[in-house]
Every structure is written in C-alpha cells, then in structure tokens.
Amino acid sequence: MKKYILLSVLSTLTILLSYSCNSTKDSSSYKSNSQKPTNIILMIGDGMSTPQVYAAMLTSENTTSFERFPITGLVKTYSKSHKITDSAAGGTAIATGHKTNNGMIGMNSDSIPVPSILETLSEKGMKTGVIATSYITHATPASFVAKNINRNNYEEIAMDFAKSDKVDLLIGGGKKHFTERKDGINLIKKMTSEGWNYYDTLINTDVNEDKIMILASDGHLPSYPSRGEFLPDATVLALENLSKSKSGFFLMVEGSQIDFAAHDSDSTYLVNEMHDFDNTINKVLDFAEKDGNTLVIVTADHETGGLTMIDPNGSYTETSFKFSTGSHSPLLVPIFAFGPGSENFSGIMDNTDIIKTILKTL
Ligand code: MG
Ligand code: ZN
C-alpha cells in the first residue's frame, strides 16, 4: 500500500520552478578564512543514492539542503569481497580508507585492524563525536570506533566503544549492548566511573561536559517522525559541545534509517527519513556558514532498494516510487562538499578516496 506515492504534474512543476529561482549556489557562500578546515563534519545517509535524494526534493516544499552545496561528485561503493557492499564494508571504506570484506568493521580484508579518520584526528588533538539513529554499535557508527570481524558482535563492539580513548561524544541507540550483556558487565557503569557523562535523553544534557554518551533507546531509535527532532537536535547539541574545542573537531552524523525504510520498500518511511536527514544537513550548513572553517561532506555507504521513479502509465506526467529490490544495489552514490577544501571532492572517486582527500585538506 505504501509502495507508491503519486505526485501530480503540478507539484513537480512547482518544485522545478522553485529550483530555477534559487540558483545561487557558488563557493563564495562560505567565508574561506583559510584554505585548511579546522573542523570536519562527515554525514552519511545509509542507503542514500541520487534516487533517495531526488525523492526528498520531489516531496519537499522548500529547496533542499543538498542544493546548498557548491561541489558534488560521485562515489563507487563496491567492497573487497562483493560487487555490492554492506554497511560494514561501506562504513569501513569511508572511515578507514581500506576496502574490506562485507560484514567486517574497522579491519582490512586480511582482518588487520586499521585506524579510522576519527582515531587519526583524535590523535592530532581534535575532539570527536559520532551520532546515529540506529544502535550506536550498528555497522556505520561502529566503523569509526570499533574493530571486529563480524558486524553482528554487538557486545564486543560496545566494549570497543567503552575502551576507546579516541571518541569524546556518542549519541544514538543500542543501550542494551552496554547493559544487558552475556558477560554481565554494565558498560555504562564502567564508562561513568572512568569519566564519561551518561544520559538517556538529549534533554538535561550538560553540553559543557567533556565526555558525553547519550543512549536514548535500548534498540534503534524509533522512525521519524515518532522520534521527534532527535537527529537535528542531537547534531546541534554535538556542535555546541565539540565547537568548544580549541583544536577543532571531527563529527560523523548518520541518517541510519534511510536504509531501513528502503529495505522495507516503504516510500513514506523513506521520504520521512530523508526529510529528517535533510533538516539535519541544513543545521550543519548553517553552523558551517557562520563558522567559515568547517568542511562538510555528505555521502552514503551504498544505495538500498534499487529505488527509481516511474510513471506507471508511461505518460510522463506522474512520478511514482518503485523499489526494485529489498536489498542493496551497486549504484554510484553522490558526495556533496561545502567549506574550505570542498573543491577536492568533485568528479568520480572510490569510497576509500574520501578519507584520504579529507586528510589531504588538513
Ligand atoms: Mg548504518
Ligand atoms: Zn541495508
């Protein structure tokens, strides 16, 4: 029933007209105080290729955040083991610059742990944070902090989070992997005894604290809009906290459930998740515009759903969503860049080039 959203020719025309009135994208829209960025914000729409981005555009009343980026490119996503990547190998490629086998987290294909950009930048003295609307231990966020041969070893991955001295802020779900464990250890107790400040909601969080973990759900967060403005609010909280750092920060923000929606072939869920991610990107761009020293990268680990838009009647007048698979596809994914260093992200690249290019801009 939810498989198709029919859009009238009229609304499509209105959107097209509003594009032509808003063509003010040029690289002068950010203050380039220096050529090198101080802060890096990497945003990953899990399962988000151009059909998902266009789905947001077709159903948005306003110009989307994606249209605020001066630089766009395309990214190849295949993994070491498969033509089609999963989120573990895709996240690991983006986080570490190494192609690996599907299912593996933070390791190369020889099962050797490799450093993530979060770890490398933490060692340079930058503050670091990770935000997701899934388990914080799920493949994408895990790729930046954990090392494991199997993405499903959630309790081992939670232990890696607890042991990491490289991450300063964690916001997401997956509390059960920290508290309801086979080894009986309460990782939240262990972390708070070692200096972490733990909260189970965004509200009442003291943004001046140094190490903050917010696990707002036992499992994944609810879907949007049931979870409210959790993702944009968490992101604004993180920016307020991390931007106190004198030596810059690295923040990864994931729109985790775009992928879940596409696996379900649920276009209403997909469009809602895309609007939530779009809204979050707008908050990040507002920060980056004011700051002038922040490089913002938005990309994806892979496409999910084999999503396309068709007119079921072949009359070129309707755009109806059609999912061609309940799994992932090998489609190129887009990359959007804004801020100092953004000019390096145009053209066609491999997912392993993203981190290498970010590190080159610093
Ligand atoms: Mg993910
Ligand atoms: Zn998936």
Side-chain angles (χ1 to χ4, degrees), residues 302-320:
H302 55 76
E303 197 274 344
T304 306
L307 178 64
T308 188
M309 283 128 202
I310 54 152
D311 180 343
N313 304 311
S315 59
Y316 296 1
T317 56
E318 286 176 353
T319 48
S320 161

Side-chain angles (χ1 to χ4, degrees), residues 10 44 53 130 193 206 282 290:
L10 198 64
I44 300 177
V53 171
V130 173
S193 76
D206 181 354
N282 269 324
K290 252 195 225 152

